[in-house]
Amino acid sequence: MEVLYIFIAIAAISIIGCICYFILKSPFKYPYYIIDIDISGRHSPLIEDIVDEYLIANGINEFTNHYESVKNWETACQNKISKSTIKKLRQEQYEKAVDDDRMFRFRLIRQQTRYKQIDYQKQAYKVPVVVEENFCNLDIIKSRYSALAKINFECTMSEYRAKDQRKRMNKQLRDQIAKRDNYTCQICGKYMPDGVGLHIDHILPISKGGKSVPSNLQVLCSKCNGKKSDKR
């Protein structure tokens, strides 16, 4: 009988402990904004470039909208605290949960290969794995967005500030300009759909501070490009 009483006492204490835990545990969970970026195939990209690329592609509205939703969440939390019988504890828990300086979470993901046996044969499959996490606040997002706006969102800030602008003249950028200008010389109008004699020219030369961005690039034929080079 004594053992039974001990068992009942232990069970009662456990139940009371569970009830106290659920009553006293923090009800506040900060609403982070999580953005997953797949960087598979890229060699150690800078987080600044990742953020810039995302802003160029998606704009800033989703960030400002989430900021407003967080402010609404904070207001709701304060209303909940004001109605609580344990205000001091709830206020401490709320202040511990608030994390506005790290509101936005960029998670960098790589697709890693795994293997499994199917019918005695090893088959590969991909698994997304978070390899890095970075946090920032709205002020940082706004600052980068403002800087990108000044260069018309044509590239990341590190690309714009790169000392060797010629390295940025890759095939993808050349093809982009050729298609945009319809393979046509912007001076004489010669049409070069086969690409023969087609040059991608810097309107403001790199030597004078020109950048390898679409607004500073144009299609020229070899003849017009040669004439322009003679005048520089």
Side-chain angles (χ1 to χ4, degrees), residues 187 200-205 208 216-218 220-232:
I187 293 179
I200 305 299
D201 169 67
H202 286 81
I203 298 171
L204 177 65
K208 295 182 180 179
N216 191 48
L217 297 172
Q218 63 180 348
L220 292 184
C221 66
S222 55
K223 185 176 180 180
C224 291
N225 190 47
K227 288 181 179 179
K228 185 179 177 187
S229 296
D230 291 340
K231 295 179 182 179
R232 290 177 181 173

Side-chain angles (χ1 to χ4, degrees), residues 9-23:
I10 293 174
I13 292 171
S14 297
I15 292 171
I16 293 171
C18 289
I19 293 173
C20 289
Y21 170 77
F22 284 108
I23 291 175

Side-chain angles (χ1 to χ4, degrees), residues 183-227:
Y183 305 93
T184 301
C185 177
Q186 298 302 291
I187 293 179
C188 72
K190 181 180 179 181
Y191 183 48
M192 300 162 284
D194 56 3
V196 176
L198 186 152
H199 294 259
I200 305 299
D201 169 67
H202 286 81
I203 298 171
L204 177 65
I206 291 176
S207 60
K208 295 182 180 179
K211 304 295 184 179
S212 294
V213 294
S215 63
N216 191 48
L217 297 172
Q218 63 180 348
V219 166
L220 292 184
C221 66
S222 55
K223 185 176 180 180
C224 291
N225 190 47
K227 288 181 179 179

Side-chain angles (χ1 to χ4, degrees), residues 18-19 22 28 30 60 69 94 117 144 154 165 173 183 190 208 225:
C18 289
I19 293 173
F22 284 108
F28 308 113
Y30 192 79
I60 198 173
S69 71
Y94 164 74
Q117 292 282 352
R144 298 208 71 85
E154 292 192 285
Q165 287 291 313
L173 182 56
Y183 305 93
K190 181 180 179 181
K208 295 182 180 179
N225 190 47

Side-chain angles (χ1 to χ4, degrees), residues 52-158:
D52 285 356
E53 290 168 3
Y54 192 87
L55 288 171
I56 290 169
N58 301 282
I60 198 173
N61 286 346
E62 63 186 273
F63 294 95
T64 54
N65 290 341
H66 183 70
Y67 177 84
E68 291 302 323
S69 71
V70 170
K71 294 299 115 178
N72 292 335
W73 172 80
E74 291 176 351
T75 299
C77 289
Q78 289 298 335
N79 289 336
K80 187 171 187 175
I81 292 170
S82 67
K83 298 175 183 178
S84 175
T85 56
I86 45 176
K87 290 184 176 65
K88 184 176 179 180
L89 174 62
R90 292 298 188 228
Q91 184 64 36
E92 291 175 352
Q93 291 170 334
Y94 164 74
E95 291 174 358
K96 187 176 181 180
V98 172
D99 198 10
D100 287 351
D101 283 341
R102 309 197 320 158
M103 183 180 297
F104 304 105
R105 178 187 299 181
F106 286 84
R107 300 195 306 187
L108 307 188
I109 293 173
R110 290 191 185 278
Q111 299 294 331
Q112 295 188 0
T113 303
R114 297 285 189 272
Y115 296 92
K116 59 183 176 181
Q117 292 282 352
I118 299 180
D119 295 332
Y120 304 102
Q121 292 185 345
K122 187 166 69 172
Q123 295 189 9
Y125 64 98
K126 298 290 185 180
V127 175
V129 177
V130 177
V131 294
E132 184 179 339
E133 286 189 275
N134 295 271
F135 298 83
C136 65
N137 57 30
L138 185 61
D139 288 339
I140 292 174
I141 295 294
K142 283 184 173 180
S143 177
R144 298 208 71 85
Y145 187 81
S146 177
L148 291 168
K150 291 178 181 177
I151 61 172
N152 201 30
F153 304 100
E154 292 192 285
C155 61
T156 67
M157 293 310 301
S158 66

